[in-house]
Amino acid sequence: MQWVNRILLAALLAFAIAYLPQHVATGGSAEDLARVEKEHAALRRGNERLQGDIEALRAEIAALKRDPEEVARIAREDLNLIRPGEVVFEIRRDDKTKP
């Protein structure tokens, strides 16, 4: 009967060690918890910002799909492209202003 008690005690001890929270097993402190909560909040803010960026990109994709003029606008502004037959005038300004 004594061996049954030892097996049960060993199983109980193994279960307790396996399921103890990490901060209790490693001697975690309130500072660790505060640091993790701060990192968590920063990650949430980053995720919210990225969600906004994703929504803006989805809106731009939808605009590009339904409006060919939007594609032309982006080609002109971002890629400096022109249509055949168009003439481009480049105006240069001097940094020095004359009185």
Side-chain angles (χ1 to χ4, degrees), residues 3-94:
W3 61 273
V4 173
N5 288 341
R6 287 181 181 170
I7 291 175
L8 288 175
L9 181 61
L12 179 63
L13 188 60
F15 177 79
I17 290 172
Y19 288 100
L20 280 177
Q22 184 67 24
H23 70 278
V24 172
T26 61
S29 63
E31 293 88 21
D32 293 335
L33 180 61
R35 180 185 50 82
V36 169
E37 286 177 346
K38 185 177 177 182
E39 289 176 10
H40 183 256
L43 289 172
R44 280 191 179 263
R45 286 190 304 273
N47 283 344
E48 290 170 1
R49 187 182 68 247
L50 290 174
Q51 283 295 97
D53 293 347
I54 288 171
E55 290 302 317
L57 289 171
R58 284 186 178 154
E60 186 176 351
I61 289 170
L64 290 171
K65 285 182 178 179
R66 72 174 174 267
D67 188 11
E69 285 301 315
E70 184 69 15
V71 176
R73 183 192 63 79
I74 289 175
R76 289 170 184 271
E77 292 177 5
D78 295 344
L79 303 175
N80 295 323
L81 298 177
I82 61 171
R83 290 185 178 157
E86 288 183 335
V87 178
V88 176
F89 294 96
E90 185 176 333
I91 301 172
R92 294 186 186 182
R93 297 182 185 186
D94 293 335

